[in-house]
Amino acid sequence: MRFILEIIRIIAIFTILGALFSGFLQLIYTNLHVTISNQNGWVISVSIFLLLFVLYRNKIQFSGWYSGKKMYKLSKKTTRLLVILSCCLLILVPFIH
């Protein structure tokens, strides 16, 4: 039962925080006069997903209902790599046509 509650919690967290991050990024790109189309929209979605994944694995997973043996933080190298990749994708968005 705890596993199912944790899955529901993950879906809710990714949905709510994903929508907030997406709205924030749309506001920034609108102020920079960048139009978001289908070609660059997926890049933003992947970037947001990577950031949320890092946030969940390093912070949020330890405050939930599920407590399994495989609960550990991402390594610093992996965390840096994913955050840098995500930031590069966000910077790349205005240049995709």
Side-chain angles (χ1 to χ4, degrees), residues 17-93:
L17 289 180
L20 289 174
F21 281 148
S22 178
F24 178 70
L25 288 174
Q26 275 188 327
L27 182 66
I28 290 174
Y29 289 135
T30 302
N31 287 337
L32 295 174
H33 303 290
V34 175
T35 57
I36 299 173
S37 65
N38 289 337
Q39 293 176 346
N40 56 10
W42 67 271
V43 176
I44 296 170
S45 299
V46 169
S47 178
I48 290 171
F49 178 77
L50 287 174
L51 288 173
L52 289 175
F53 175 74
V54 169
L55 180 66
Y56 178 78
R57 285 295 302 264
N58 288 345
K59 297 287 180 191
I60 299 173
Q61 77 172 338
F62 302 110
S63 64
W65 291 291
Y66 182 73
S67 58
K69 294 180 181 180
K70 296 184 180 184
M71 291 179 54
Y72 51 88
K73 289 184 177 183
L74 295 172
S75 69
K76 287 187 179 187
K77 186 176 181 180
T78 304
T79 299
R80 285 184 190 137
L81 177 70
L82 291 175
V83 170
I84 289 170
L85 178 63
S86 179
C87 290
C88 288
L89 288 173
L90 289 175
I91 292 170
L92 183 69
V93 167

